[in-house]
Amino acid sequence: MGKYGKWIGGGLGWALGGPIGGILGFVFGSMFDGMQSGEYEYKATKTQSGDFSVSMLILSAAIMKADNKILKSELNYVRQFFLSQFGIEETNKKMQLLKEILKQDINISDVSLQIKQFMDYSSRLQLLHYLFSISSADGHVHVLEVEMIGLISKYLGISNNDFSSIKAMFIKDTDSAYKILEISRDATDEEVKKAYRKMAVKYHPDKVNHLGKEIQKAAKEKFQQLNAAYKEIKKQRGIN
């Protein structure tokens, strides 16, 4: 196979798993270039198109590369996230995979549209929250990373209100609490209560139980921020 392994792997990936499979095929082809056996391409790309962890790795790479700086804090965040989810052996494999994905050109529109096709909306919201967490790992959310997350959000089919709500959990301003609840300051008290009930259903951690304990933990943190925003507004307004 010589130096053509990455091209063979990439082509096989496109056939088996669309854009995501194509990236994985190309990556595994690169990692194993020089080997004579072709079995690894099939194994590497036989991944469900909507696989959450693979989607996270690819979009993680896109966010890390957005500001042209791959920070140690970002890599550490991803590692710790997967470590608590999968254990050390599987995490080491995924981090090696991420290292190779970072070398690839990622077609954000194609990958995001594929994720949209196979992933439910609640999971996509949690994916967006995860991407903001990577961006803020160094204590600062870079404007280019926000733009990239916004682009990904658009292709994922996330509504503008939901994007603004999650963004407000990481980038605070005087209206953050209202943005999290997807309302404006001129909303009535009854509209505030109604908005909270609606968001509590949308962001409830039970909606992502199928994604594993660490995703559930992150979902609970997001739910806590929603409750904190509601509590802040109630305090400001004197709502019981």
Side-chain angles (χ1 to χ4, degrees), residues 200-217:
V201 172
K202 182 187 296 185
Y203 284 166
H204 200 282
D206 286 350
K207 287 184 173 290
V208 292
N209 277 345
H210 59 292
L211 297 179
K213 63 180 181 179
E214 192 61 22
I215 300 296
Q216 292 173 37
K217 178 183 176 182

Side-chain angles (χ1 to χ4, degrees), residues 99-132:
K99 180 181 177 181
E100 296 299 324
I101 292 173
L102 283 166
K103 300 175 184 177
Q104 311 301 320
D105 291 328
I106 300 171
N107 188 316
I108 289 300
S109 61
D110 286 353
V111 168
S112 299
L113 287 171
Q114 183 181 359
I115 291 170
K116 177 186 176 183
Q117 182 181 359
F118 290 94
M119 190 177 291
D120 63 83
Y121 194 78
S122 295
S123 300
R124 280 178 271 151
L125 287 177
Q126 195 56 45
L127 182 56
L128 204 66
H129 191 271
Y130 165 81
L131 296 178
F132 268 112

Side-chain angles (χ1 to χ4, degrees), residues 62-192:
I63 298 306
M64 290 180 189
K65 295 168 65 174
D67 61 353
N68 300 311
K69 293 183 298 181
I70 299 172
L71 302 178
K72 185 177 180 180
S73 58
E74 296 170 338
L75 290 168
N76 285 341
Y77 178 85
V78 175
R79 180 173 181 80
Q80 287 304 313
F81 185 95
F82 280 99
L83 193 61
S84 59
Q85 186 84 350
F86 299 105
I88 188 166
E89 183 177 352
E90 187 63 25
T91 294
N92 287 339
K93 293 178 182 178
K94 290 186 182 300
M95 293 305 294
Q96 180 63 32
L97 186 59
L98 176 60
K99 180 181 177 181
E100 296 299 324
I101 292 173
L102 283 166
K103 300 175 184 177
Q104 311 301 320
D105 291 328
I106 300 171
N107 188 316
I108 289 300
S109 61
D110 286 353
V111 168
S112 299
L113 287 171
Q114 183 181 359
I115 291 170
K116 177 186 176 183
Q117 182 181 359
F118 290 94
M119 190 177 291
D120 63 83
Y121 194 78
S122 295
S123 300
R124 280 178 271 151
L125 287 177
Q126 195 56 45
L127 182 56
L128 204 66
H129 191 271
Y130 165 81
L131 296 178
F132 268 112
S133 295
I134 293 177
S135 179
S136 62
D138 63 341
H140 171 70
V141 182
H142 196 283
V143 62
L144 292 178
E145 293 174 338
V146 174
E147 290 178 2
M148 178 60 72
I149 297 173
L151 186 63
I152 291 170
S153 177
K154 175 184 174 183
Y155 287 123
L156 286 177
I158 304 297
S159 72
N160 290 333
N161 285 340
D162 283 338
F163 171 75
S164 297
S165 174
I166 296 176
K167 177 183 175 182
M169 296 180 183
F170 293 89
I171 304 175
K172 303 294 184 181
D173 59 34
T174 55
D175 290 330
S176 289
Y178 288 92
K179 290 177 180 177
I180 289 173
L181 265 65
E182 298 185 3
I183 54 176
S184 61
R185 278 187 173 273
D186 58 7
T188 65
D189 289 355
E190 187 57 36
E191 287 172 335
V192 170

Side-chain angles (χ1 to χ4, degrees), residues 16-73:
L16 293 174
I20 292 175
I23 291 172
L24 290 181
F26 196 95
V27 164
F28 275 84
S30 297
M31 289 170 67
F32 291 92
D33 239 334
M35 294 177 62
Q36 296 303 310
S37 172
E39 292 184 3
Y40 69 86
E41 287 98 347
Y42 177 78
K43 294 176 181 177
T45 57
K46 194 174 178 61
T47 303
Q48 291 185 358
S49 300
D51 184 87
F52 194 78
S53 64
V54 173
S55 302
M56 292 175 79
L57 285 176
I58 294 173
L59 295 186
S60 295
I63 298 306
M64 290 180 189
K65 295 168 65 174
D67 61 353
N68 300 311
K69 293 183 298 181
I70 299 172
L71 302 178
K72 185 177 180 180
S73 58

